[in-house]
Amino acid sequence: MAQWTSAVGAAQLARQLQAQQPRPAGPGARKPPAYRALADGIRLLVLEGRVPVAARLPAERELALALTVSRTTVAAAYEALRTEGFLESRRGAGSWTAVPAGNPLPARGLEPLPPETLGSLIDLGCAALPAPEPWLTRSVQGALEELPPYAHTHGDYPAGLPALRATLAERYTARGIPTMPEQIMVTTGAMGAIDAICHLFAGRGERIAVESPSYANILQLMREAGARLVPVAMGEGLGSWDLGRWRQVMREAAPRLAYVVADFHNPTGALADEDQRRGLVEAARAAGTVLVVDETMTELHLDEDVEMPRPVCAFDPAGSTVLTVGSASKAFWAGMRIGWVRAAPDVIRSLVAARAYADLGTPVLEQLGVNWLMRTGGWEEAVDLRRAQARENRDALVAAVRRELPEWEFEVPKGGLTLWVRTGGLSGSRVAEAGERVGVRVPSGPRFGVDGAFEGYVRLPFTVGGPVAEEAAVRLAAAARLVESGLGAGVEPLRTFVA
């Protein structure tokens, strides 16, 4: 019986490998043999989670043709990986990826680290902040007071609690987007909302247009749903959606869905202006594409001079093109797993009907907590607290990175939670790998792209500030030096740093 659970094609693996930047050679170092460089590249893809564990690799001859190298080179690389524990093989079943005994399984997304590891490792992988107290505690207390009537029901509300649906509809209306409660479905976070949308609109093999780069966890969700991702490159700078490229992709690829983050884009922090929003809606409508707009960052404008454009759905008054996704996770707290979809009533009915085969509904207590916050004004006060914390963290991280890594390049976004950094010609994947060894966890650029794009980037979230931000930059600089020197394995961690 075969031990592999998925397969990686030769062309796909070749694209990922060719996108990698070679490890810089230290002073006087020789260039590694071709087989060693190939083995190192595959190992890095496995450690990054971009090639899954237990994925069948191409046959030696197929990969040799795709890479235009000799079969002997591929065979030697596979043998080196087997020796190191990153590959297993069986006659007749092929070869599949593995991890050596004792190594943690690589994360394919950006899951937060377990709390017990936080004393020795600074986690810059997850763009989420601690809860804005005392508002979390107050919201739970308020929810408990309102819980008794609901406790006498079965507790399943596939469309969401009527009270929260009404509150969310009122908030959209206050933003200038007339909305009825029938246009709202409450979900288990934004991920739950987008998962439901993908299953309803984009079956296996359907095309989905995505910004390039885009949010790593959403890209992975779409891949695992069987979608064919069509990347659309972002323009230069923090306000650049290339409408010409979007129109071309919509016209030529005819994607069933398109996914965009117009408000403080993850990972770049870019903010689309009104002309770009209007253009995206017009391009989607002309192509018959459903435009999914992720608004999870929309309330996180950090600078006083930011003028927020109208929501993207304002340019779709008929409601036939735009589906809007919101969430409490970034503006309030990731542990409050409440998201929502705003769409035309018939779309909401279809999403609710399909939900019966998924999770049935969202936890009642958490919905009551969010509703309590939004009804009492606690939401606005909590978000103000969140903005102040993110602003302070952003400024501390920017100053620390500029001091410790002056050759790294980035623009400072006016909102959101992430900094998109060009790593001065170094491989972002190798910086991430070295970072784990010196005590800082950072996601590399290729996690936010398709087929190995953005190898020269990392994403830094505004999740730490003060001395922790300074120490994170020191450790990133140490990781960069390791990459520059061609070292990586067997490096002792830096001193323990308790946040």
Side-chain angles (χ1 to χ4, degrees):
M1 180 178 177
Q3 302 298 305
W4 49 273
T5 57
S6 62
V8 181
Q12 176 189 359
L13 184 57
R15 285 194 301 271
Q16 291 180 287
L17 289 166
Q18 289 165 349
Q20 290 180 337
Q21 294 172 329
R23 183 192 296 272
R30 294 182 179 180
K31 184 178 179 181
Y35 86 88
R36 184 64 262 172
L38 176 55
D40 186 47
I42 294 174
R43 179 183 59 83
L44 194 59
L45 291 173
V46 173
L47 289 173
E48 279 268 293
R50 289 185 281 131
V51 168
V53 176
R56 188 185 187 206
L57 294 186
E60 295 170 2
R61 187 184 302 278
E62 293 174 359
L63 186 58
L65 288 171
L67 291 172
T68 62
V69 299
S70 71
R71 183 177 177 181
T72 301
T73 296
V74 176
Y78 279 14
E79 180 58 32
L81 289 168
R82 276 189 288 269
T83 301
E84 296 163 5
F86 285 94
L87 197 68
E88 296 181 11
S89 304
R90 189 187 326 183
R91 185 179 297 276
S95 299
W96 56 91
T97 56
V99 292
N103 279 38
L105 288 175
R108 301 204 67 193
L110 299 177
E111 299 86 357
L113 287 170
E116 62 268 18
T117 67
L118 296 181
S120 59
L121 190 63
I122 299 175
D123 185 8
L124 297 182
C126 186
L129 290 161
E133 288 287 29
W135 295 106
L136 175 62
T137 298
R138 291 180 183 178
S139 70
V140 173
Q141 291 169 342
L144 287 172
E145 292 175 2
E146 298 177 5
L147 181 62
Y150 297 94
H152 295 293
T153 73
H154 52 60
D156 287 332
Y157 295 86
L161 292 185
L164 181 54
R165 296 177 75 195
T167 297
L168 292 168
E170 290 171 10
R171 291 177 69 85
Y172 277 106
T173 300
R175 294 171 67 192
I177 314 298
T179 303
M180 303 179 294
E182 293 79 10
Q183 291 178 262
I184 301 292
M185 182 178 85
V186 181
T187 62
T188 308
M191 293 287 287
I194 294 170
D195 183 58
I197 290 168
C198 288
H199 280 89
L200 181 63
F201 286 94
R204 186 164 292 275
E206 292 275 9
R207 295 184 178 90
I208 301 179
V210 295
E211 295 149 328
S212 184
S214 187
Y215 179 36
N217 285 339
I218 293 296
L219 295 181
Q220 191 58 36
L221 182 155
M222 292 174 174
R223 290 187 188 101
E224 293 184 358
R228 299 165 61 189
L229 301 183
V230 183
V232 185
M234 300 281 288
E236 290 294 324
L238 288 177
S240 298
W241 272 259
D242 191 325
L243 294 181
R245 289 175 179 169
W246 275 100
R247 293 189 187 99
Q248 181 181 5
V249 167
M250 298 280 199
R251 183 175 61 251
E252 296 179 359
R256 185 70 182 93
L257 290 178
Y259 170 76
V260 299
V261 186
D263 298 302
F264 307 118
H265 174 262
N266 188 350
T268 68
L271 177 66
D273 62 29
E274 292 211 353
D275 288 341
Q276 291 167 335
R277 294 165 189 244
R278 182 183 294 106
L280 286 169
V281 173
E282 290 173 352
R285 183 182 296 120
T289 297
V290 175
L291 185 62
V292 181
V293 180
D294 188 335
E295 285 192 337
T296 56
M297 298 283 189
T298 192
E299 296 192 68
L300 292 177
H301 43 89
L302 305 184
D303 294 338
E304 294 182 359
D305 61 346
V306 177
E307 293 187 14
M308 291 301 296
R310 286 177 291 170
V312 177
C313 58
F315 303 97
D316 181 38
S320 59
T321 300
V322 177
L323 306 183
T324 303
V325 171
S327 172
S329 67
K330 301 299 184 185
F332 186 72
W333 185 47
M336 188 73 84
R337 301 303 305 155
I338 300 295
W340 54 86
V341 181
R342 181 200 179 273
D346 61 320
V347 173
I348 294 297
R349 286 193 294 271
S350 296
L351 287 169
V352 171
R355 192 174 193 180
Y357 306 102
D359 63 356
L360 292 177
T362 302
V364 169
L365 191 64
E366 294 181 19
Q367 292 187 73
L368 289 172
V370 171
N371 191 57
W372 183 90
L373 286 165
M374 291 181 172
R375 287 291 188 186
T376 62
W379 180 268
E380 283 68 27
E381 295 199 37
V383 172
D384 283 344
L385 184 61
R386 170 67 77 235
R387 290 192 194 108
Q389 186 179 18
R391 184 186 308 116
E392 182 178 338
N393 287 357
R394 178 197 63 182
D395 295 346
L397 185 65
V398 164
V401 173
R402 282 178 171 164
R403 181 179 62 252
E404 300 293 336
L405 291 151
E407 67 278 12
W408 285 19
E409 302 173 20
F410 53 86
E411 291 187 68
V412 182
K414 293 180 176 294
L417 288 173
T418 57
L419 198 66
W420 186 236
V421 181
R422 184 181 286 112
T423 52
L426 300 180
S427 161
S429 298
R430 300 190 191 281
V431 170
E433 181 187 20
E436 294 274 353
R437 295 189 171 90
V438 298
V440 60
R441 179 178 185 248
V442 58
S444 67
R447 288 182 177 271
F448 303 88
V450 177
D451 283 344
F454 308 110
E455 184 61 59
Y457 290 81
V458 294
R459 189 195 73 171
L460 305 180
F462 313 142
T463 53
V464 297
V468 188
E470 294 176 7
E471 178 67 14
V474 168
R475 295 185 184 192
L476 284 171
R481 289 193 295 271
L482 287 177
V483 174
E484 289 171 343
S485 67
L487 300 176
V491 179
E492 290 297 322
L494 296 181
R495 65 190 180 279
T496 297
F497 187 88
V498 179

